[in-house]
Structure formats: structure tokens, C-alpha cells
Amino acid sequence: MKRIDNIWEETISFENLVIAEKKARKGKENTMGVCLFDLDREGNLHRLHDLLAKKQYRTSEYSIFIIHDPKTRLIYKLPYYPDRIVHHAIMNVLESVWVNTFTTDTYACIKKRGINGCYAKVLKALSDKDGTTECLKIDIHHFYPSVNHAILKVIIRKKIKDKNLLWLLDSIIDSAPGLPIGNYLSQFLANLYLAYFDHYVKEVLKVKYYFRYADDMVFLSNSKDYLRKIFVKINAYMCTLKLEVKKNWQIFPVDSRGLDFVGYVFRHTHVLMRKSIKKHFCKKVKQLLKKNINPQDFKQAICSWLGWCKYSNSIHLLKTIIKNQEYYDAISSVRQ
């Protein structure tokens, strides 16, 4: 396996930092951090370049808060400058390197994959009805907080040997326990942590139908016994990563229960929206109907849910909750 070297200068170059800053500011132009940075944009980037070149950069202090949507999570937030820019600068150089490490069976935080890419691949797999009657579904207990720094550093070194870049990556990894949820870099490192597990599933266990979205994993087969046997091996592999499979893992028939994955419930005959998403959608529509807004504003207010409707069998749901004909006509483009 070829290891990458001599990419430090490219990573910390002023040109790369300019590109990284433009990416980091997307959707955040009016935030306090960006406004303060813009008071001396070029000077700040030159200072950041000098900090990195002299290896004097240190991760800033995190702001830590809790969210409850829908799970309770500890969120770590770093300042826009210098930290978020540094993370983007790293990913500008390493994203293609790491994506080439992944199998085609992982979908989170990868361009041209994501939820829609995963949805399409699951549907394609389910077209083999006889080969996908049973499902093993697992996820990892407290995945991000459980990532072991020593193991992650070994995994990173399988592809990268640039000592200066490894110094920077190690310092960011060691700046918080596990992988801090909220760090731009964390989502990619989380994918990388399970990348060689993906290869194990496909190349050693020879699982034909396997899908991973972050730490949610689905294995399809026509045999419960086969899925039970590979689960033992999967569990053993996770132990080598110092991860624990949640105790709610399941093996079940796809059609009688439905495969709840990436926001949808899949069966061989149809696809529905996940119950929690449908519940929030109905609640939002009810609130909007009371306001008597115009049809286009109504459509705009529910556009995110309409995306879920577009890829699921939701005609009956739409007809049931949207009684107003003008509102219903406004969303005609998403009807199936």
C-alpha cells in the first residue's frame, strides 16, 4: 500500500488556506467569527500560515454544549479562526486520499453519495428479492466518544507518512476525548476509523449486500443462520477497534418488519418515510394550515419534508394531511 508523503507544504500553503477559508465561511458569512476575521482577512491568513509553518498552531479551547435532537449529544464547537479554516485546509488535501480508501459501501459525508446514494443502492439490492429476505442491523454504542486515539493514529499512518502533517493531525485528535461531535474533521476521521472494517466485510466475510452510513450498518442475506455467524465475527472485529456493538442489534425479515435506514423504511414492495420524520412533517403541516399562508410560502416551509416524500410512497400521506387544494396543487412536482 503506497503511503503519501511530502504534502505538508501544499497543506499549509497560503493558496490552500485561501481556498479553505472560502469553504469554511459558506453559510456563516454573518456570524461573529467571520465578521471579526474579515477585519483583517489577508493578515489573519498570513499569521495562520506562519503558525503552521513554525508548528506553533494549537487547537483552540472548545465551547461545549448539549443538544437533544433527537438523542442527547455533547457538541464541541471551535472558533471559525483559526481552527475551522485549518480543518478545511487539511481536507482540501486529504479528502481524495481518504475517499479512495473507502469501499463503495459507505455513504456518510462523501460527495455524490450521502443519503440519496445509499437509498438508491439499498433499492437496487432489494431488487434481488430472494437474496435479501433477512436483515442484520447494528450500530455502535457511543461511537464518536469511543474512538480510540492510538488506533486512529495507526489507521491514519496506513496512508500518510508525512511527519509534519501527522504532527498536525495528532494534535487535533488529542485535543478532545474520542472524536468531538461538531468538528468538521471528525466526520471524516469517523469514516476512516471504520474503513478497514468495510474492507473486512467485503473481502474477508464476502458479504454481498452491505451498507454503512456513519456507524449504522445493514447486512442483507437470505439466511438468518448466515447473518448470525457473521455477527459473531463482526463483533470480534469491533472489539479490536475498542468499539461496542449496541445491544439492540437485530436480525429480522425485511418485509414483515421493514428496514428502517437513512430516514426510510424499506420493503421489497414499497418505501415509506421513517415514522419520526413523518410525525414532524404532520406537525409542521398542521401548524402552517392554521396560519393560512399563500401556497408558495407553504411549499417553501415544508420543502425539506417534500424531499423525503419524493423518494417514498407518500401520496396517501399527502392527501390525508393536506386537505387544502391550493396547497396540494403547489406541491404537485413531488407527487408520485
Side-chain angles (χ1 to χ4, degrees), residues 58-84:
R58 299 291 182 272
T59 297
S60 303
E61 185 175 346
Y62 287 92
S63 298
I64 304 174
F65 56 95
I66 297 173
I67 63 169
H68 307 276
D69 186 25
K71 300 176 183 178
T72 299
R73 298 181 187 274
L74 203 62
I75 304 298
Y76 290 72
K77 184 178 180 181
L78 285 172
Y80 174 76
Y81 174 82
D83 305 278
R84 293 187 66 84

Side-chain angles (χ1 to χ4, degrees), residues 264-280:
Y264 299 96
V265 179
F266 296 88
R267 289 182 171 83
H268 288 100
T269 53
H270 61 282
V271 181
L272 298 177
M273 218 184 297
R274 177 177 287 162
K275 186 176 180 179
S276 60
I277 295 172
K278 181 173 70 174
K279 184 177 178 181
H280 286 117

Side-chain angles (χ1 to χ4, degrees), residues 147-162:
V147 168
N148 181 278
H149 289 186
I151 294 173
L152 177 58
K153 290 174 185 178
V154 169
I155 291 171
I156 288 172
R157 282 158 173 78
K158 289 184 177 183
K159 288 295 290 184
I160 300 167
K161 65 177 181 179
D162 187 306

Side-chain angles (χ1 to χ4, degrees), residues 216-232:
D216 290 335
M217 288 162 261
V218 165
F219 308 78
L220 297 173
S221 174
N222 59 3
S223 167
K224 284 187 178 181
D225 287 340
Y226 169 76
L227 293 176
R228 289 190 188 100
K229 288 176 182 177
I230 67 166
F231 174 72
V232 174

Side-chain angles (χ1 to χ4, degrees), residues 22 24-35 38 80:
K22 287 180 180 177
R25 71 165 47 228
K26 285 182 179 178
K28 298 178 175 64
E29 286 86 352
N30 297 320
T31 62
M32 180 64 73
V34 174
C35 292
D38 283 346
Y80 174 76

Side-chain angles (χ1 to χ4, degrees), residues 43-300:
N44 283 327
L45 287 176
H46 278 295
R47 279 185 282 276
L48 178 54
H49 170 74
D50 290 342
L51 277 175
L52 291 167
K54 296 174 182 176
K55 297 173 77 170
Q56 294 175 348
Y57 167 79
R58 299 291 182 272
T59 297
S60 303
E61 185 175 346
Y62 287 92
S63 298
I64 304 174
F65 56 95
I66 297 173
I67 63 169
H68 307 276
D69 186 25
K71 300 176 183 178
T72 299
R73 298 181 187 274
L74 203 62
I75 304 298
Y76 290 72
K77 184 178 180 181
L78 285 172
Y80 174 76
Y81 174 82
D83 305 278
R84 293 187 66 84
I85 297 172
V86 169
H87 289 203
H88 277 272
I90 292 169
M91 288 311 304
N92 285 348
V93 175
L94 290 186
E95 184 172 7
S96 61
V97 174
W98 284 342
V99 168
N100 287 336
T101 303
F102 303 146
T103 70
T104 57
D105 310 287
T106 184
Y107 298 90
C109 308
I110 300 176
K111 292 174 182 174
K112 298 183 180 180
R113 296 192 197 180
I115 288 175
N116 287 344
C118 188
Y119 166 94
K121 285 295 185 71
V122 172
L123 274 189
K124 184 177 180 181
L126 291 175
S127 66
D128 176 11
K129 187 173 181 178
D130 293 336
T132 58
T133 55
E134 307 294 332
C135 175
L136 164 63
K137 189 169 185 287
I138 67 172
D139 64 343
I140 305 302
H141 179 68
H142 292 159
F143 175 47
Y144 275 69
S146 299
V147 168
N148 181 278
H149 289 186
I151 294 173
L152 177 58
K153 290 174 185 178
V154 169
I155 291 171
I156 288 172
R157 282 158 173 78
K158 289 184 177 183
K159 288 295 290 184
I160 300 167
K161 65 177 181 179
D162 187 306
K163 291 182 179 179
N164 291 319
L165 186 54
L166 288 171
W167 161 79
L168 179 58
L169 288 168
D170 287 352
S171 69
I172 293 171
I173 289 167
D174 290 335
S175 67
L179 285 178
I181 298 174
N183 264 9
Y184 177 66
L185 200 55
S186 289
Q187 56 193 339
F188 295 96
L189 293 175
N191 250 352
L192 186 65
Y193 199 72
L194 291 173
Y196 294 96
F197 168 74
D198 296 336
H199 284 279
Y200 173 73
V201 169
K202 297 301 290 187
E203 296 157 19
V204 179
L205 298 183
K206 306 289 186 181
V207 177
K208 184 175 182 180
Y209 298 121
Y210 164 64
F211 311 92
R212 177 170 71 83
Y213 196 91
D215 65 314
D216 290 335
M217 288 162 261
V218 165
F219 308 78
L220 297 173
S221 174
N222 59 3
S223 167
K224 284 187 178 181
D225 287 340
Y226 169 76
L227 293 176
R228 289 190 188 100
K229 288 176 182 177
I230 67 166
F231 174 72
V232 174
K233 296 177 181 179
I234 290 165
N235 204 35
Y237 192 104
M238 289 302 172
C239 289
T240 69
L241 295 176
K242 298 191 183 301
L243 297 175
E244 179 187 351
V245 175
K246 277 188 183 177
K247 299 192 186 303
N248 64 351
W249 63 274
Q250 305 169 60
I251 295 176
F252 57 88
V254 171
D255 280 336
S256 63
R257 185 179 301 188
L259 167 56
D260 188 335
F261 189 49
V262 294
Y264 299 96
V265 179
F266 296 88
R267 289 182 171 83
H268 288 100
T269 53
H270 61 282
V271 181
L272 298 177
M273 218 184 297
R274 177 177 287 162
K275 186 176 180 179
S276 60
I277 295 172
K278 181 173 70 174
K279 184 177 178 181
H280 286 117
F281 179 37
C282 293
K283 183 178 179 181
K284 184 66 174 180
V285 168
K286 186 176 180 180
Q287 292 171 347
L288 292 171
L289 291 175
K290 290 179 179 178
K291 294 181 179 180
N292 197 30
I293 60 177
N294 69 63
Q296 287 307 310
D297 288 341
F298 172 80
K299 181 180 178 179
Q300 185 65 31

